[in-house]
Amino acid sequence: MTLRLPSAGGGTRTYEPRTEPLALTPGAPLTSRTVFSAAHVVADPRADVSPDAPAAVDWDATLAFRRHLWSHGLGVAEAMDTAQRGMGLDWPGAAELIRRSAAEARSVGGRIACGAGTDQITGGTLPEIRAAYEEQLAVVEESGAQAVLMASRALAAAASGPEDYLDVYGHLLRQATEPVILHWLGPMFDPALAGYWGSSDLDAATETFLAVISAHPGKVDGVKVSLLDARRETGLRRRLPAGVRCYTGDDFHYPELIAGDDQGFSHALLGVFDPLGPLAARAVRLLDAGDTGGFRALLDPTVPLARHLFQPPTRFYKTGVVLLAWLAGHQDHFTMVGGLQSARSLPHLARAYELADGLGLFPDPMLAEERMRNLLSLYGVAR
């Protein structure tokens, strides 16, 4: 059987789906790298909600997907950008997600880190921004999860320079009961974060970022860097204080950054490991055994899919992630909170299917093919 897939330039092309998936079995936690998959949320398709209404979440399916990731030895990064924070999932929904996922993590022994930000406010003064961060940090810590201090749109808008970032983050780090992960999300993921750390000059911003870390020894477990710039991340990684991890958030260059070099390596906190989770876990187990070449041979071929999912506008990568979760059988529908399933074109989605199928990512290729046919038919594309 073949599929007629739409092409980006118009028209269609023939694609012959794969018949056998990769055999990707669950396994123990990884040892050579700390690896978090940022996880998506599953919408409730039966809820009568508008795109700007509070998110209606299918909690059973959402938590089942997290158990899937934990079963392969991955950690879960919860309530992050991949979960549509600020793009369909508001703070009350995120707080409920954090509480439920943290409880689930305890029940299965899974590792979890959760995002704390300021998205319950849309602006505000610096004291109001600090208070918003404090509220969310308290929810994360009370749930028993590790905190990720997320980049704040409100802080980016209110800060007058680096000193405001030093003040706000210093205040939060002094209060944190356990070491946190600092999150630097570039404007390609969220345009409202341009100029974060007090400067649009990335060299100057890096100095402020490092100053925050150095001023609070023992309070920063690691930094999550999502700038899609491997050279810059490697340079930053080499300047981190001893004991502070670099968690790559670079969905374009993750194989080389995780493999590392003779001066170190990056751990991972990646949205692309939502669809790649089992394959990524298998690859990191090769690193655990000292087989860097095998790791690269397995993970390098996934980069074209990652670059496709995260192509500009990068912030809409979640649409492709949820499509692949549906095609893989992790949920029964292709519906997203906020109606974000409409954020990518049919040719984009078709290419995501083709690349994922070629990698053997679908546990049941026939189910994936059937669902892709249904999507094509819904859009009026002939079989």
Side-chain angles (χ1 to χ4, degrees), residues 260-282:
D261 53 31
D262 58 1
Q263 297 185 56
F265 55 82
S266 293
H267 300 270
L269 197 165
L270 287 161
V272 77
F273 280 4
D274 181 302
L276 293 182
L279 183 58
R282 174 186 280 188

Side-chain angles (χ1 to χ4, degrees), residues 182-322:
L182 297 182
H183 187 197
W184 187 355
L185 192 68
M188 67 288 294
F189 289 93
D190 187 342
L193 298 177
Y196 213 74
W197 304 110
S199 178
S200 57
D201 181 329
L202 289 179
D203 290 334
T206 298
E207 296 306 317
T208 303
F209 189 49
L210 288 168
V212 169
I213 299 164
S214 298
H216 301 279
K219 285 301 189 97
V220 179
D221 163 73
V223 298
K224 195 269 194 183
V225 185
S226 299
L227 298 176
L228 303 184
D229 185 333
R231 180 195 60 80
R232 184 168 294 280
E233 179 177 321
T234 300
L236 172 64
R237 185 176 73 199
R238 291 172 179 170
R239 296 182 61 192
L240 291 174
V244 177
R245 296 181 177 98
C246 180
Y247 293 95
T248 187
D250 188 331
D251 300 277
F252 284 4
H253 307 98
Y254 51 93
E256 65 190 83
L257 290 164
I258 296 170
D261 53 31
D262 58 1
Q263 297 185 56
F265 55 82
S266 293
H267 300 270
L269 197 165
L270 287 161
V272 77
F273 280 4
D274 181 302
L276 293 182
L279 183 58
R282 174 186 280 188
V284 175
R285 286 195 175 88
L286 293 174
L287 280 182
D288 294 347
D291 184 1
T292 302
F295 166 83
R296 293 296 299 268
L298 195 56
L299 212 55
D300 282 0
T302 69
V303 171
L305 171 61
R307 289 183 175 237
H308 177 73
L309 293 175
F310 286 78
Q311 68 181 219
T314 301
R315 63 189 181 277
F316 294 126
Y317 74 88
K318 298 96 165 172
T319 301
V321 165
V322 174

Side-chain angles (χ1 to χ4, degrees), residues 1-5 15-20 323-324 326-329 353-354 357 362-377 383:
M1 298 284 292
T2 60
L3 284 173
R4 297 292 298 175
L5 298 179
Y15 176 70
E16 184 174 346
R18 183 174 178 141
T19 58
E20 294 294 332
L323 171 83
L324 297 182
W326 172 55
L327 295 176
Y353 160 74
E354 183 178 11
D357 183 66
F362 300 130
D364 184 344
M366 291 184 65
L367 174 66
E369 178 187 346
E370 178 187 1
R371 290 184 168 183
M372 194 66 210
R373 286 186 188 279
N374 289 338
L375 184 65
L376 293 168
S377 178
R383 301 185 183 187

Side-chain angles (χ1 to χ4, degrees), residues 48 51 57 137 266 268 275 362 380:
D48 184 12
V57 176
L137 180 60
S266 293
F362 300 130

